[in-house]
Amino acid sequence: DRGPRAASAPRHDPPWATSAETPGTPYRDNARDQRSDVGAVLGQGLGQQEEQASTQAKLASLEKQLMMLNIERTEVESQLARYPANSAGKTAADRRRKQDLEERLNKVGGNLAKVKSAMRQLRML
């Protein structure tokens, strides 16, 4: 009596037993992802390696930014050196150009400080 009904009834697996993407498939397909997330939280396994790789990539990017900003700072300083220290320039265009260069030098200096600070923080982690 019970046998035929039990066989024809649809099977309902608990939600934790199947994958959300494809119903009926084992949930084991995401097991590695879960282990690496746990490893990242505990600072172990693949999570730690991935975190170190990410930190190294960020440091490389910051070092490249630092290099580019230093090059720009050098260029701006060399252009500013063409203007006399005790004069703002002979013409209005010269004065404006010198003022623009000084503002740019201040911005580059601020950006350099931010990049160096970010690099220090990454190296402390």
Side-chain angles (χ1 to χ4, degrees), residues 65-75 108 112:
Q65 289 178 23
L66 184 68
M67 184 179 67
M68 297 304 290
L69 287 168
N70 277 325
I71 290 170
E72 185 175 357
R73 181 186 65 184
T74 303
E75 290 174 358
V108 169
L112 277 167

Side-chain angles (χ1 to χ4, degrees), residues 83-84 86-96 98:
Y83 294 95
N86 60 354
S87 171
K90 294 180 181 178
T91 65
D94 286 342
R95 289 189 290 274
R96 179 68 186 153
K98 184 175 180 182

Side-chain angles (χ1 to χ4, degrees), residues 38-72:
V38 171
V41 170
L42 297 176
Q44 300 172 348
L46 294 176
Q48 186 178 16
Q49 291 173 351
E50 291 168 356
E51 185 177 327
Q52 286 175 349
S54 173
T55 300
Q56 290 300 322
K58 288 176 186 176
L59 272 174
S61 173
L62 288 171
E63 287 173 352
K64 185 175 181 179
Q65 289 178 23
L66 184 68
M67 184 179 67
M68 297 304 290
L69 287 168
N70 277 325
I71 290 170
E72 185 175 357

